[in-house]
Amino acid sequence: PGLFQLFDPTYGQPGLKVETSRSGEVGADLLWAGGSAGATLFRREVENEIGFDVAAPPFGRYVQAGRTEADGFELAAAADVSRGLTLT
């Protein structure tokens, strides 16, 4: 946690633990004259994630959100429609 997250008199929480994460991704891009396409797979794991609880009185505060995971994929494509215009 940053100093603000720990010690701010309104929002801070001195007991916050260190947030750690592991992530990885793998992807490929295919390029050709006039266009491109790509795909990426990703995964992220976070321990002791720090979040902000807007419902905590009086104006919200930083909290330890625990363990979170995110995984998924992204697809992208682009094509040159005309000179100076690319559709992505």
Side-chain angles (χ1 to χ4, degrees):
L3 293 175
F4 185 82
Q5 293 168 323
L6 289 170
F7 302 116
D8 178 75
T10 304
Y11 306 109
Q13 290 289 39
L16 292 174
K17 298 175 186 172
V18 173
E19 179 180 283
T20 59
S21 65
R22 292 174 23 167
S23 65
E25 65 179 57
V26 61
D29 292 318
L30 180 61
L31 306 173
W32 64 87
S36 65
T40 303
L41 296 169
F42 65 89
R43 178 158 181 80
R44 183 188 63 185
E45 300 172 357
V46 181
E47 295 283 342
N48 299 320
E49 184 168 13
I50 297 170
F52 191 80
D53 182 2
V54 296
F59 305 109
R61 67 183 173 123
Y62 287 98
V63 294
Q64 207 82 59
R67 184 173 198 270
T68 60
E69 297 178 1
D71 53 17
F73 64 94
E74 298 174 348
L75 299 174
D80 295 335
V81 177
S82 64
R83 183 177 174 155
L85 179 62
T86 301
L87 179 64
T88 58

